[in-house]
Amino acid sequence: MSLGNYHTGFTASRLTTANSDANSVFQGTFRGALGVMEKDELNAPEPVKVAQVLERAITANRPRKRYIVDPTFFRFVPMLKRLLPYALIEYAHKRLFKLT
């Protein structure tokens, strides 16, 4: 699962343009990245978790500046992005979305 994905109707509602399917140099890359995103979106948790955290924020006597909804692993991603070299983060993103 990727950071920030929740299972909503967004994936089923996605439209592509005629140019998206045209014989372009980027067509394979586009299809690969889109396939990864669609798989992540379809296998993501339901948005009810977001609603629960939002309710907690609204009803808190002293709300925090930020609330984390994602699973525990993703709580460490911002810290890792600060600690790891940019090139490594860029490489990981390219691998994740099948861009290399």
Side-chain angles (χ1 to χ4, degrees):
M1 178 178 65
S2 291
L3 183 63
N5 285 332
Y6 290 91
H7 188 87
T8 64
F10 182 80
T11 306
S13 301
R14 181 179 285 123
L15 300 174
T16 56
T17 66
N19 289 339
S20 303
D21 295 322
N23 190 11
S24 164
V25 193
F26 303 106
Q27 183 179 18
T29 304
F30 170 73
R31 288 281 163 217
L34 187 61
V36 170
M37 289 184 265
E38 287 177 343
K39 181 181 171 199
D40 284 349
E41 292 163 0
L42 292 172
N43 293 314
E46 296 294 323
V48 69
K49 183 92 168 153
V50 175
Q52 291 168 341
V53 173
L54 184 58
E55 178 187 25
R56 199 170 77 227
I58 291 170
T59 59
N61 290 331
R62 297 178 68 196
R64 299 184 309 222
K65 290 181 181 178
R66 293 179 181 85
Y67 288 83
I68 297 175
V69 180
D70 289 313
T72 307
F73 168 75
F74 293 115
R75 294 173 188 244
F76 298 105
V77 170
M79 181 182 63
L80 289 173
K81 286 178 80 172
R82 283 192 303 269
L83 296 174
L84 296 174
Y86 179 79
L88 185 59
I89 301 296
E90 184 77 8
Y91 175 77
H93 277 111
K94 286 180 180 179
R95 291 284 305 217
L96 175 68
F97 290 106
K98 298 183 179 181
L99 300 174
T100 58

